[in-house]
């Protein structure tokens, strides 16, 4: 059965106050909306929505996390990255929560860190990067762990692109790498098929496939898409467009609940097309499709 491709209905949009230069990346419901920064590895933020406004507010300050020891760069781009960025530049790209703490995934180190309510952070023991590189993942520049979600006792990590995949981390330290079944009619416009955000809601896995400007609901365990909601017409509309889109779609974080689908955008500190001095990040609130 083919997945239905559905134009997204927008319920609200928010230019997030205090987010200029932050590079919003990752989104999750933890009693409230929380997000992280690709550029500031020391803070977890809340996104406080009040009427037509949304504000980025510091929530938890991280401490105790150092660059993990071990793996050496595998190509020239990784070597240059290590050479010119400090070891503390974790590039967090995914976040999810449970009752006693928060998880974040580092795109740079391809490791998951667990953060207590006091902000103390520790790397989990899972080390998956060397093994999945042998399978052809994580070999390109700026292509690592992105989205993150907990389903039952397992953590799922989105591997961004070329090829994209899903990493299922099990509590005993084992892991699986899974491919996403393609969706007929989902248009990536010649850009790489990518995967940047994850959430779990209503017994299904939701995937943010930002180069197609889409959120897909996928069944477990098979991962076939039941439907995909396309929001391209909202992201590229004059009131929401940025001056430049360097890498395709800017969607960088996904959260889903009974109120709808929330997507945050990482604009890499690029200005809005209509308001050149405004470099705030964007969040869209989309309606769940009717009848599904």
């Amino acid at each position: 059965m083919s997945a239905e491709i559905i134009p997204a209905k927008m319920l609200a949009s928010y230019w997030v106050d205090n987010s200029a230069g932050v590079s919003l990346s990752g989104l999750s419901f933890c009693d409230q909306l929380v997000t992280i920064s690709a550029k500031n590895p020391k803070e977890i933020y809340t996104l406080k929505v009040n009427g037509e406004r949304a504000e980025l507010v510091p929530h938890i300050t991280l401490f105790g996390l150092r660059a993990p020891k071990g793996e050496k760069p595998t190509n020239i781009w990784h070597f240059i990255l290590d050479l010119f960025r400090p070891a503390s530049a974790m590039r967090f790209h995914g976040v999810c929560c449970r009752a006693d703490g928060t998880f974040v995934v580092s795109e740079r180190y391809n490791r998951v860190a667990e953060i207590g309510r006091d902000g103390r952070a520790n790397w989990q023991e899972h080390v998956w990067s060397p093994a999945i590189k042998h399978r052809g993942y994580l070999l390109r520049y700026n292509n690592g762990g992105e989205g993150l979600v907990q389903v039952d006792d397992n953590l799922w990590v989105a591997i961004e692109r070329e090829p994209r995949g899903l990493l299922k981390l099990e509590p005993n330290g084992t892991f699986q790498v899974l491919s996403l079944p393609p969706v007929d009619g989902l248009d990536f416009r010649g850009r790489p098929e990518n995967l940047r955000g994850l959430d779990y809601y209503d017994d299904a896995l939701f995937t943010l496939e930002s180069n197609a400007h889409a959120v897909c609901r996928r069944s477990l365990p098979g991962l076939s898409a039941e439907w995909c909601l396309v929001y391209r017409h909202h992201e590229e509309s004059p009131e929401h467009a940025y001056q430049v889109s360097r890498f395709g779609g800017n969607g960088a974080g996904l959260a889903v609940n009974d109120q709808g689908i929330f997507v945050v955008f990482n604009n890499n500190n690029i200005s809005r097309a209509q308001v050149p001095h405004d470099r705030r990040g964007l969040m869209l609130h989309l309606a769940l499709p009717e009848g599904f």
Side-chain angles (χ1 to χ4, degrees):
M1 182 177 176
S2 298
E4 185 161 355
I5 308 298
I6 305 168
K9 175 184 177 182
M10 189 176 69
L11 298 177
S13 64
Y14 304 93
W15 295 104
V16 181
D17 293 341
N18 305 324
S19 66
V22 171
S23 291
L24 300 177
S25 188
L27 193 65
S28 184
F29 282 109
C30 307
D31 296 327
Q32 54 192 329
L33 276 171
V34 302
T35 188
I36 50 178
S37 166
K39 295 184 178 178
N40 179 10
K42 296 182 179 179
E43 203 75 53
I44 294 176
Y45 302 89
T46 59
L47 269 167
K48 295 190 177 295
V49 177
N50 184 9
E52 297 181 354
R53 293 187 60 214
E55 182 181 11
L56 191 69
V57 179
H59 177 50
I60 299 174
T61 300
L62 280 61
F63 68 94
L65 197 65
R66 298 177 180 271
K69 296 180 180 179
E71 193 179 353
K72 300 296 184 182
T74 55
N75 61 39
I76 186 63
W77 294 113
H78 292 139
F79 176 79
I80 292 171
L81 181 73
D82 280 358
L83 190 64
F84 290 101
R85 283 182 179 163
S88 59
M90 306 290 181
R91 291 188 61 80
F92 291 140
H93 278 273
V95 59
C96 68
C97 305
R98 66 182 187 189
D100 57 348
T102 305
F103 297 107
V104 294
V105 63
S106 166
E107 183 200 41
R108 178 174 182 182
Y109 295 115
N110 289 300
R111 293 281 294 274
V112 173
E114 187 168 357
I115 302 157
R117 290 187 175 275
D118 62 353
R120 180 176 293 278
N122 297 283
W123 295 112
Q124 284 200 322
E125 293 299 320
H126 284 104
V127 178
W128 70 81
S129 179
I132 71 172
K133 283 180 178 178
H134 284 296
R135 304 183 196 183
Y137 296 90
L138 306 178
L139 298 181
R140 293 178 178 268
Y141 170 68
N142 196 31
N143 174 24
E146 288 271 342
L148 181 69
V149 70
Q150 185 172 10
V151 182
D152 299 324
D153 292 330
N154 303 313
L155 285 171
W156 294 70
V157 179
I159 305 301
E160 185 180 3
R161 57 185 168 83
E162 298 175 295
R164 65 177 182 169
L166 276 169
L167 184 69
K168 182 182 178 183
L169 304 175
E170 299 169 351
N172 62 5
T174 61
F175 61 86
Q176 300 178 53
V177 187
L178 306 169
S179 298
L180 279 182
V183 180
D184 290 340
L186 201 57
D187 186 4
F188 288 85
R189 291 191 178 181
R191 295 165 175 163
E193 294 190 10
N194 70 339
L195 181 61
R196 296 196 69 189
L198 298 174
D199 205 359
Y200 180 74
Y201 170 72
D202 192 29
D203 298 323
L205 188 71
F206 285 76
T207 55
L208 175 61
E209 306 180 27
S210 62
N211 280 352
H213 308 265
V215 175
C216 296
R217 176 188 167 107
R218 293 179 177 269
S219 62
L220 290 175
L223 297 175
S224 59
E226 300 172 15
W227 49 257
C228 293
L229 205 66
V230 176
Y231 57 82
R232 184 193 308 273
H233 52 298
H234 297 304
E235 182 179 357
E236 294 183 347
S237 66
E239 61 268 33
H240 295 136
Y242 289 101
Q243 289 183 341
V244 179
S245 181
R246 291 179 181 170
F247 306 110
N250 290 312
L254 173 68
V256 185
N257 69 3
D258 56 4
Q259 298 175 29
I261 295 171
F262 296 79
V263 180
V264 292
F265 296 81
N266 180 355
N267 59 313
N268 289 295
N269 206 34
I270 294 169
S271 298
R272 291 169 57 187
Q274 284 192 342
V275 188
H277 66 271
D278 190 352
R279 298 175 182 268
R280 290 176 296 174
L282 173 67
M283 180 171 71
L284 295 184
H285 180 189
L286 309 173
L288 288 162
E290 297 180 3
F292 291 92

